[in-house]
Amino acid sequence: MKQSFKKWMLFLLVGIPSCIYAQTKYKVTSPSGKLRLEVATGNEITYSVIHEEDTMIAPSPISMTLTDGTVFGRFPRLKKKRSRSVNQTINPPVYKKSVIADCYNELTLEFKEDYKVVFRAYDEGVAYRFVSSRKAPFWVKDEQAVFNLPDNPDIFAATPKGRQIDGKENQYHSSFQNTYRHVPLSEWDKSRLAFLPVLSAKKGKERKKVCITEADLLNYPGMFLKADDEDKGLYGHFAAYPKEVAVEVRGLKEVVKSREPYIAKSEGCTAFPWRVIIVSEKDTDLLCSDLVYKLAAPAEGDYSWVKPGKVAWDWWNDWNISGVDFRAGINTDTYKYYIDFASRFGIEYVILDEGWAVAGPADLFQVVPEIDLKELVCYAEARHVGLILWAGFRAFDKDMERVCKHYAEMGIKGFKIDFMDRDDQYMIDFNRRCAETGARYKLLIDLHGTSKPTGLQRTYPNAVNFEGVHGLEEMKWAQPGTDQVTYDVTMPFIRMVAGPVDYTQGAMVNMNRENFRAIYSEPMSQGTRCRQLAAYVIFDSPLNMLCDSPSNYMREAECTRFIAGIPTTWQETLPLDGKVGEYIVMARRQGDAWYVAGLTDWTARDIEVDLSFVEEENIRVELFEDGANADRVGRDYRRRVFSLSSGRKQKIHMAPGGGFIMKVSVGGQADGGR
């Protein structure tokens, strides 16, 4: 009898958790009612995302494990539930539009274990984040972020090109630059990480899509995704905190040799990054998403001093100027030539890229003897041009405050910082410190060699550019088969959803697929001349490079004048047409002028652009379009200028790898064209 009683008690005790932690369900619906986030709590916390009647994310568990054994999200005990609705506007100082509608419904579940989970539903997507209310510091061992994707969808994702460390590829060390793979989820290589954002496309006729990324990442490792073993979906993966580092590559780079048994240190009361799921009914919805920006912490203080603009850039063209009587290179005479070029065309900045500081010591106070930096600053200021300095991550990190103070006092306008090449917690915090320190000294910050943006550009508007993109620099060393043209019509629907890119377009040597060659010292682009011009509208870059040689630009003055006049920030952005991996057409407005541009893949394409969104009755159109022989000679283009008072639909032909760009302004007369 006693034995039976013991067995009965053991059975009862084992069954207790399922009784105590009975599942409770909650729902958050977007303002339009189309999108809903369903949350369930029981033994764990799960969420799912439904668009109309389509399940975009099937029930997926979330949790956060601490090194002391505590698990946020396991056997949660609800303390309080709060809901609210927000309808407001954001007026960003630097962005692709001047007014952002910020409307969402929010659910906060606060639990007795000193944490809460906040869920938000917007019309364009959903997001959730953990928030700790612990007072004492703690360490995060790991985070469970699961994205279960029904029906084996197609995945568009890029993998890290991991650096070789001790004879093995290390995927945590990469420049976050790669083209996209497009495969069914079941065919994704489970040994490979994918860096964010990642795009999922449902099967079927409508092809609704989910773009997964993160926001408000300030002091926590960036998230990678991996495919689970059962092909149910993707799950988050994080680099552990660095423990032992070694210095490589001329003292400019660090390599993590060992890591701690945790991914992040927390000071206690901490709001962790948002996990963001953007849902699109049609591909063009992805081109106008503001969700990452809206979820980021707003800026504090005045940033009216931030002046984006164009940049004459030296490194891509390998300082190859011609027709001068001095030896071109990293020297004062060469940079005066760049400054004169910038001044002539109204280009706001010149970058001094790698080489102006002495290589080896990683000391930004040691300027090479061939450059008189103070003289160059004075020379540039007299011509209304600002100078920006390149800096390797390690050199900048060694003495950030003093470097910023010294060069700001000299008259330098900003820093382009490179070679971060990882996104563990230390490096993400480095990016934040760069922006914060730069802001104190009114310096622009261009974060090159880094991962995708997550809203830092809202928190610190002086952080204007982020690389994390397979930009034009890749054409200097591209392997055979590299398809930059297809990447260009894929990236805006995925990577650019996260924020601005440091793509560095503007090549004046333009080749078709057959004639393209990777040449380091005299590089070229894939596709047509008009494609390069169109990129200045399609790609979002507040600090936008002119990558080619000033000598080439001056030989192509018609194109250069047009490029130099294109704004780099906008009051309105409209996606007009497009399909991931095939083509894209966008319109952007600054003041009274609209700029409309398009890109195609390697397929020649005839499109019709409807300009009826321009409200003025009489408009002037300046159009650069692919020439009749652009499929053979990439630099072939035609410029036309004409007026319209009616008949707003314009038919345009794009060559394989081609593009077009037009400026639409109010009134004016046609002045011909070629």
Side-chain angles (χ1 to χ4, degrees):
M1 183 72 180
K2 289 182 179 179
Q3 189 74 12
S4 298
F5 179 76
K6 287 180 179 178
K7 287 182 178 179
W8 182 82
M9 286 298 294
L10 181 61
F11 173 79
L12 183 63
L13 288 170
V14 170
I16 280 176
S18 62
C19 298
I20 292 178
Y21 298 101
Q23 193 175 77
T24 306
K25 295 184 177 181
Y26 309 89
K27 185 186 298 183
V28 195
T29 304
S30 71
S32 70
K34 277 191 170 185
L35 192 62
R36 68 182 185 272
L37 182 61
E38 295 184 352
V39 181
T41 61
N43 294 345
E44 61 183 359
I45 300 173
T46 65
Y47 77 97
S48 54
V49 181
I50 297 93
H51 184 272
E52 295 177 325
E53 298 308 313
D54 292 319
T55 298
M56 309 304 294
I57 302 286
S60 303
I62 59 174
S63 67
M64 184 174 285
T65 301
L66 312 187
T67 55
D68 66 2
T70 302
V71 181
F72 295 162
R74 183 179 297 170
F75 305 128
R77 295 179 298 159
L78 186 67
K79 178 180 178 181
K80 190 184 299 182
K81 176 176 77 75
R82 296 190 302 274
S83 297
R84 66 170 181 149
S85 296
V86 171
N87 186 348
Q88 62 187 6
T89 56
I90 300 169
N91 301 104
V94 179
Y95 198 56
K96 60 188 176 185
K97 56 184 72 168
S98 58
V99 179
I100 301 172
D102 187 26
C103 308
Y104 59 88
N105 294 320
E106 181 180 274
L107 169 70
T108 300
L109 300 179
E110 186 175 349
F111 298 99
K112 295 178 181 179
E113 293 80 13
D114 295 328
Y115 74 95
K116 56 189 174 184
V117 186
V118 184
F119 300 92
R120 285 188 187 176
Y122 298 76
D123 286 340
E124 63 192 289
V126 303
Y128 74 86
R129 81 188 314 176
F130 282 90
V131 180
S132 164
S133 54
R134 283 191 166 199
K135 294 181 181 178
F138 61 89
W139 292 262
V140 179
K141 183 178 180 181
D142 202 3
E143 179 185 345
Q144 181 187 36
V146 177
F147 307 88
N148 285 327
L149 301 164
D151 306 321
N152 191 30
D154 287 347
I155 300 296
F156 296 80
T159 61
K161 297 177 182 176
R163 190 184 306 170
Q164 292 292 316
I165 301 176
D166 298 330
K168 295 181 180 179
E169 183 192 13
N170 189 310
Q171 294 185 69
Y172 297 136
H173 278 277
S174 87
S175 58
F176 301 92
Q177 296 165 246
N178 206 348
T179 54
Y180 293 102
R181 289 193 67 212
H182 175 199
V183 295
L185 173 62
S186 59
E187 295 180 19
W188 185 263
D189 183 349
K190 294 178 176 57
S191 69
R192 303 299 301 178
L193 300 174
F195 55 80
L196 300 181
V198 168
L199 189 66
S200 164
K202 286 182 72 68
K203 306 292 186 187
K205 187 176 180 181
E206 290 187 348
R207 298 285 283 173
K208 291 181 182 179
K209 293 182 174 65
V210 164
C211 186
I212 301 169
T213 191
E214 56 188 337
D216 209 26
L217 178 68
L218 295 171
N219 190 16
Y220 195 78
M223 182 167 67
F224 296 91
L225 293 178
K226 292 189 78 171
D228 70 7
D229 291 336
E230 299 176 1
D231 300 326
K232 290 170 56 180
L234 304 168
Y235 66 92
H237 192 87
F238 304 86
Y241 196 87
K243 182 178 182 180
E244 177 191 7
V245 298
V247 179
E248 289 188 355
V249 189
R250 304 183 303 282
L252 296 171
K253 295 187 179 185
E254 281 186 356
V255 171
V256 178
K257 306 293 283 188
S258 64
R259 293 184 180 271
E260 302 285 1
Y262 52 83
I263 65 172
K265 304 174 183 179
S266 173
E267 293 302 316
C269 295
T270 302
F272 293 96
W274 291 100
R275 307 295 166 219
V276 183
I277 300 152
I278 296 163
V279 179
S280 67
E281 290 186 72
K282 54 186 185 298
D283 289 3
T284 49
D285 293 341
L286 296 164
L287 301 174
C288 56
S289 175
D290 302 309
L291 194 48
V292 169
Y293 192 93
K294 289 189 283 194
L295 288 164
E300 297 179 0
D302 176 26
Y303 282 87
S304 60
W305 56 269
V306 176
K307 304 296 182 188
K310 296 288 191 332
V311 185
W313 185 34
D314 52 0
W315 179 86
W316 192 80
N317 57 77
D318 206 28
W319 298 267
N320 277 328
I321 59 177
S322 57
V324 296
D325 57 4
F326 57 86
R327 184 68 175 173
I330 301 172
N331 56 53
T332 298
D333 286 338
T334 298
Y335 283 114
K336 284 184 176 180
Y337 183 91
Y338 277 83
I339 292 165
D340 289 340
F341 159 70
S343 178
R344 173 179 168 183
F345 287 93
I347 296 165
E348 291 86 349
Y349 299 101
V350 169
I351 273 184
L352 279 68
D353 212 284
E354 182 179 1
W356 67 270
V358 176
D363 182 352
L364 295 175
F365 295 100
Q366 295 188 36
V367 181
V368 296
E370 294 83 2
I371 288 178
D372 187 329
L373 197 52
K374 288 184 179 179
E375 181 185 349
L376 285 175
V377 170
C378 294
Y379 190 85
E381 285 180 348
R383 289 153 181 79
H384 307 290
V385 175
L387 298 186
I388 295 172
L389 299 178
W390 179 94
F393 137 72
R394 186 169 164 270
F396 199 74
D397 197 25
K398 280 172 62 177
D399 206 350
M400 190 183 300
E401 188 82 26
R402 194 162 70 98
V403 165
C404 288
K405 182 177 186 297
H406 173 78
Y407 285 108
E409 289 175 350
M410 185 185 290
I412 295 298
K413 303 303 181 185
F415 279 93
K416 172 184 175 179
I417 306 163
D418 204 352
F419 294 150
M420 287 73 95
D421 290 352
R422 60 181 213 260
D423 69 347
D424 51 42
Q425 185 186 27
Y426 184 91
M427 200 58 75
I428 293 299
D429 183 57
F430 167 80
N431 285 354
R432 180 197 60 78
R433 289 187 292 113
C434 286
E436 181 182 61
T437 308
R440 280 200 294 275
Y441 296 99
K442 294 192 163 129
L443 294 167
L444 298 176
I445 299 295
D446 175 357
L447 292 166
H448 206 70
T450 192
S451 51
K452 83 286 171 192
T454 60
L456 188 67
Q457 67 274 24
R458 181 183 182 193
T459 311
Y460 297 99
N462 61 309
V464 286
N465 273 24
F466 303 78
E467 194 181 19
V469 67
H470 194 270
L472 205 66
E473 69 176 47
E474 298 290 329
M475 297 297 94
K476 288 168 71 79
W477 52 73
Q479 294 297 310
T482 300
D483 188 350
Q484 190 72 9
V485 160
T486 300
Y487 179 83
D488 289 348
V489 291
T490 307
M491 177 273 290
F493 299 92
I494 306 175
R495 161 61 182 84
M496 215 164 71
V497 173
V501 297
D502 200 21
Y503 181 98
T504 67
Q505 62 267 35
M508 292 291 105
V509 180
N510 318 108
M511 294 293 172
N512 62 20
R513 191 200 293 254
E514 292 76 22
N515 293 338
F516 171 80
R517 299 290 183 273
I519 301 174
Y520 187 90
S521 60
E522 292 190 82
M524 62 189 73
S525 71
Q526 292 181 355
T528 70
R529 169 69 56 79
C530 286
R531 180 181 202 83
Q532 290 298 302
L533 272 59
Y536 285 94
V537 170
I538 299 294
F539 301 156
D540 181 14
S541 297
L543 196 66
N544 221 332
M545 309 292 154
L546 278 76
C547 70
D548 217 323
S549 164
S551 302
N552 287 347
Y553 284 125
M554 286 189 279
R555 282 191 287 267
E556 300 284 353
E558 185 173 68
C559 291
T560 304
R561 279 193 296 270
F562 190 82
I563 290 171
I566 300 172
T568 63
T569 59
W570 308 92
Q571 291 171 291
E572 287 187 72
T573 292
L574 296 177
L576 301 181
D577 200 1
K579 188 173 181 181
V580 176
E582 296 186 16
Y583 69 101
I584 178 172
V585 183
M586 293 180 69
R588 300 186 192 258
R589 180 182 66 83
Q590 182 59 264
D592 292 333
W594 282 93
Y595 288 81
V596 185
L599 303 173
T600 184
D601 57 9
W602 290 113
T603 303
R605 204 175 298 273
D606 294 304
I607 63 166
E608 187 173 72
V609 179
D610 187 350
L611 299 176
S612 59
F613 59 86
V614 183
E615 297 178 355
E616 287 76 13
E617 184 175 345
N618 296 306
I619 58 175
R620 175 184 183 271
V621 178
E622 182 180 9
L623 170 65
F624 286 75
E625 58 188 333
D626 292 329
N629 297 298
D631 59 327
R632 296 158 57 191
V633 183
R635 64 182 179 274
D636 184 32
Y637 73 90
R638 181 171 67 147
R639 174 181 175 268
R640 290 193 290 137
V641 183
F642 51 92
S643 298
L644 291 174
S645 56
S646 60
R648 294 299 176 90
K649 294 181 179 180
Q650 296 295 307
K651 291 184 178 179
I652 298 174
H653 175 78
M654 290 189 285
F660 76 89
I661 184 169
M662 64 173 76
K663 179 182 179 181
V664 182
S665 49
V666 179
Q669 298 296 318
D671 62 358
R674 64 177 224 177

